[in-house]
Amino acid sequence: MQLVVFDLDFTVWQPEMYQIDGPPKLVSVDDFVGKQRRKSRDLPRPIPSGSRTIHENKIVTDRRGTPITVFDGASHALSEINRIKKEGQLPIRVAISSRTDEPSWAYQCMKWLVVSDGTPLIQCFDQELIEISYADKSKHFESLNRKTGIPYEMMCFFDNEHWNIRSVGNLGVKCFHTPQGMTQEAWNQALQQFDMI
């Protein structure tokens, strides 16, 4: 495993960018849970898992207050990759292959959201390996192959859309379908495929 590639929408985070109302924004946890609405009889909302940001006591939401959160499995996998890279165990590179509708919103989410080891999402990825366009994802991988020289067989890909898995898999990339978002099980399957556990 030399290159790990993630889709963003409904693989790394939820909801998908097309599902949110307006650009993402930071809101205080107090405002989110409803402590400021003392006259309301509504119970405070719980803080969702995966909502940690670079700003203490703030989470990312859309205009209507829908939280944008990192899937636990994505947080786990990216933190594990960060650890592996820091320890110098393997020269793993990390990329994005996304067809998100709102690239600028995605970049903003990547700047604010953090994974379980405290690293902002944007720092988990090799900046020159971020492929965000409406092109077929096989084209993203052809570009990643040209940029890195890494053979397709040494790449793995996580995506929630089966047709992306099929398209990229035809190149020889080891693909993992994550229809309910990235999971630790999918990460462990990838490690097993590459004889890393």
Side-chain angles (χ1 to χ4, degrees):
M1 180 187 302
Q2 295 176 11
L3 179 65
V4 182
V5 186
F6 294 88
D7 171 44
L8 291 175
D9 286 346
F10 218 76
T11 298
V12 169
W13 61 50
Q14 64 179 332
E16 297 193 33
M17 292 293 104
Y18 82 87
Q19 296 174 313
I20 66 173
D21 184 17
K25 65 179 186 171
L26 285 169
V27 299
S28 74
V29 169
D30 286 344
D31 287 344
F32 179 78
V33 297
K35 289 182 180 174
Q36 301 301 319
R37 295 182 226 128
R38 298 192 192 282
K39 294 181 183 177
S40 173
R41 295 183 189 263
D42 296 337
L43 292 174
R45 293 190 286 181
I47 300 168
S49 173
S51 62
R52 188 170 163 207
T53 69
I54 60 170
H55 300 284
E56 192 172 332
N57 296 318
K58 293 193 181 247
I59 65 170
V60 181
T61 71
D62 68 4
R63 287 190 292 220
R64 293 180 188 235
T66 302
I68 300 163
T69 61
V70 177
F71 282 104
D72 289 341
S75 183
H76 172 78
L78 290 164
S79 293
E80 280 290 298
I81 293 167
N82 291 341
R83 181 189 58 76
I84 289 167
K85 289 169 78 170
K86 184 184 252 183
E87 293 174 357
Q89 293 177 9
L90 294 170
I92 296 177
R93 302 194 69 191
V94 188
I96 292 170
S97 174
S98 175
R99 294 170 39 97
T100 188
D101 296 73
E102 298 289 348
S104 64
W105 297 0
Y107 274 101
Q108 191 59 66
C109 288
M110 286 191 286
K111 289 176 185 173
W112 286 336
L113 292 167
V114 300
V115 296
S116 57
D117 70 359
T119 305
L121 274 175
I122 194 75
Q123 292 177 16
C124 294
F125 302 102
D126 294 60
Q127 298 306 295
E128 70 279 9
L129 302 182
I130 295 177
E131 297 283 334
I132 298 178
S133 73
Y134 290 117
D136 184 285
K137 291 202 177 179
S138 64
K139 301 296 182 202
H140 292 179
F141 276 80
E142 289 169 4
S143 173
L144 291 170
N145 173 261
R146 277 192 307 277
K147 289 177 183 177
T148 65
I150 295 172
Y152 294 120
E153 298 76 25
M154 295 307 295
M155 298 180 185
C156 69
F157 177 48
F158 301 94
D159 196 296
N160 65 306
E161 299 287 349
H162 197 266
W163 64 281
N164 289 328
I165 294 294
R166 193 169 41 247
S167 171
V168 172
N170 287 335
L171 297 172
V173 175
K174 292 180 177 151
C175 298
F176 302 89
H177 188 219
T178 58
Q180 300 302 313
M182 181 67 188
T183 63
Q184 288 186 28
E185 292 78 20
W187 174 243
N188 289 337
Q189 287 174 2
L191 293 175
Q192 289 173 346
Q193 286 276 325
F194 285 95
D195 295 322
M196 295 175 68
I197 57 172

